[in-house]
Amino acid sequence: SRVPAQFGENVELEPCGTPALDLIRSLYDQCSAPVRDELDRVLARPYPGDPYHTTISPGDYFKIHWTTEGVNATNENYVNILAEAFDTSWETLIDTLGFWAPPSDMGLGGCDRYDVYIMKLNPGTLGYCSTSGEVPNPLTPNNDWSSHIAMSNDESYGHNQMIETTAHEFMHAIQNAYDAAEPTWFKENCSVWAQNVVFDTKLYADYLHGGENCLRRPWYDIRSGAMYHYGASPWPMYMQYRTGGSVAAVQRVWEICAEVYGASLMESINATAVEYGSSFISWLAEYTCWRWF
């Protein structure tokens, strides 16, 4: 409400708050001291309020932080639904498919489990993953960061939507295990794609029914942002099916990204394509035809 009106015109509400937080973090050092003080409050780990409750997920991977009173209030049933969904996301993406686990936050949430906070979020925002206030992994040379996730306490979005959002946001946490500096557009492509990899409920197709996406706006640069980047999950899906149906090609892009400190996504996609006997430009040309069909 404090931003001049002209900067809010024609801005689309995003279901994921991660792009905004990534952008704030990237611009933080360019801001004045008073603005940084305000941003520190935005970027700090959330506090749900009192009475303060924590729940350990059944698989022992996650610690859920929540309260039963105030604007952030939720209930134990909803907490348990999300906890089980987060476990499924971990077991599928990491234990089964072999993506890298998020690095330790060195006990910032009270232990070494991954921390999830259930909160009241802005209307339309289902969740976010943030590296702000977190620590990089001192034992690795790549730009990997620990993170935390916040999930909306608004159950009116529907449990199926929020269950899929656990995979979406946790995929962001995984991306930060490789290189937190990579661009938002591919992060969102892969997080929407991961929703379907984990739960296979086809809710990713909601982004293809209207608005800006890779089917309705085929002439857009694949690096386009909101809302296009949610409607471009067919790009990593194409990589998956082009290379035999496994997730190995998408994993390989992130592995090559991790080899270079700082953003190197386009070079990493091309290097991955070359390993599979092709090139980025050949993949892009074929993807253009593939997605049409």
Side-chain angles (χ1 to χ4, degrees), residues 263-278:
S264 59
L265 178 62
M266 298 307 295
E267 296 85 352
S268 299
I269 293 175
N270 187 66
T272 301
V274 169
E275 289 183 3
Y276 283 93
S278 187

Side-chain angles (χ1 to χ4, degrees), residues 190-203:
C190 289
S191 284
V192 175
W193 165 79
Q195 295 175 207
N196 201 60
V197 169
V198 175
F199 294 108
D200 193 26
T201 52
K202 305 294 188 291
L203 288 181

Side-chain angles (χ1 to χ4, degrees), residues 93-112:
L93 294 171
I94 295 173
D95 296 344
T96 301
L97 298 178
F99 282 98
W100 294 359
S104 169
D105 64 4
M106 308 298 179
L108 283 179
C111 64
D112 235 9

Side-chain angles (χ1 to χ4, degrees), residues 3-262:
V3 175
Q6 66 266 30
F7 295 113
E9 294 175 355
N10 301 316
V11 172
E12 295 183 282
L13 296 177
E14 294 198 44
C16 176
T18 304
L21 291 168
D22 280 355
L23 186 58
I24 289 172
R25 186 171 176 271
S26 71
L27 298 174
Y28 182 87
D29 291 339
Q30 302 176 38
C31 297
S32 65
V35 171
R36 288 200 299 271
D37 288 342
E38 289 195 58
L39 293 179
D40 286 341
R41 292 192 288 274
V42 174
L43 297 173
R45 277 204 173 197
Y47 185 85
D50 296 314
Y52 197 102
H53 301 283
T54 60
T55 297
I56 305 303
S57 68
D60 203 34
Y61 298 113
F62 296 88
K63 185 176 184 179
I64 316 296
H65 304 251
W66 56 287
T67 187
T68 54
E69 296 183 13
V71 296
N72 298 318
T74 187
N75 58 80
E76 190 171 10
N77 179 61
Y78 185 55
V79 171
N80 290 336
I81 287 172
L82 294 186
E84 291 181 11
F86 272 112
D87 276 352
T88 300
S89 299
W90 184 298
E91 290 162 358
T92 302
L93 294 171
I94 295 173
D95 296 344
T96 301
L97 298 178
F99 282 98
W100 294 359
S104 169
D105 64 4
M106 308 298 179
L108 283 179
C111 64
D112 235 9
R113 298 178 183 89
Y114 192 94
D115 295 296
V116 177
Y117 300 82
I118 300 181
M119 308 287 296
K120 176 180 173 58
L121 302 181
N122 288 336
T125 301
L126 306 179
Y128 68 76
C129 177
S130 175
T131 59
S132 59
E134 302 282 344
V135 293
N137 188 341
L139 303 178
T140 59
N142 57 307
N143 188 32
D144 55 333
W145 285 75
S146 60
S147 58
H148 61 272
I149 288 172
M151 296 287 290
S152 174
N153 66 344
D154 187 349
E155 295 186 66
S156 69
Y157 296 120
H159 287 170
N160 286 344
Q161 184 68 70
M162 296 308 297
I163 285 170
E164 278 217 9
T165 301
T166 65
H168 182 110
E169 300 305 336
F170 188 58
M171 186 63 188
H172 284 315
I174 289 172
Q175 293 157 5
N176 291 326
Y178 292 89
D179 189 345
E182 298 304 336
T184 291
W185 67 267
F186 192 65
K187 288 182 177 181
E188 292 299 339
N189 289 182
C190 289
S191 284
V192 175
W193 165 79
Q195 295 175 207
N196 201 60
V197 169
V198 175
F199 294 108
D200 193 26
T201 52
K202 305 294 188 291
L203 288 181
Y204 78 92
D206 289 348
Y207 295 113
L208 304 178
H209 294 162
E212 296 181 353
N213 58 61
C214 68
L215 303 185
R216 293 168 59 90
R217 302 289 187 271
W219 58 90
Y220 275 26
D221 190 316
I222 63 168
R223 297 167 294 185
S224 298
M227 289 288 292
Y228 182 94
H229 54 204
Y230 301 106
S233 61
W235 175 230
M237 190 182 296
Y238 161 79
M239 293 184 195
Q240 175 186 357
Y241 288 110
R242 180 65 178 84
T243 56
S246 78
V247 302
V250 180
Q251 282 179 317
R252 188 61 183 139
V253 171
W254 285 103
E255 289 168 0
I256 298 173
C257 284
E259 295 172 1
V260 177
Y261 192 93

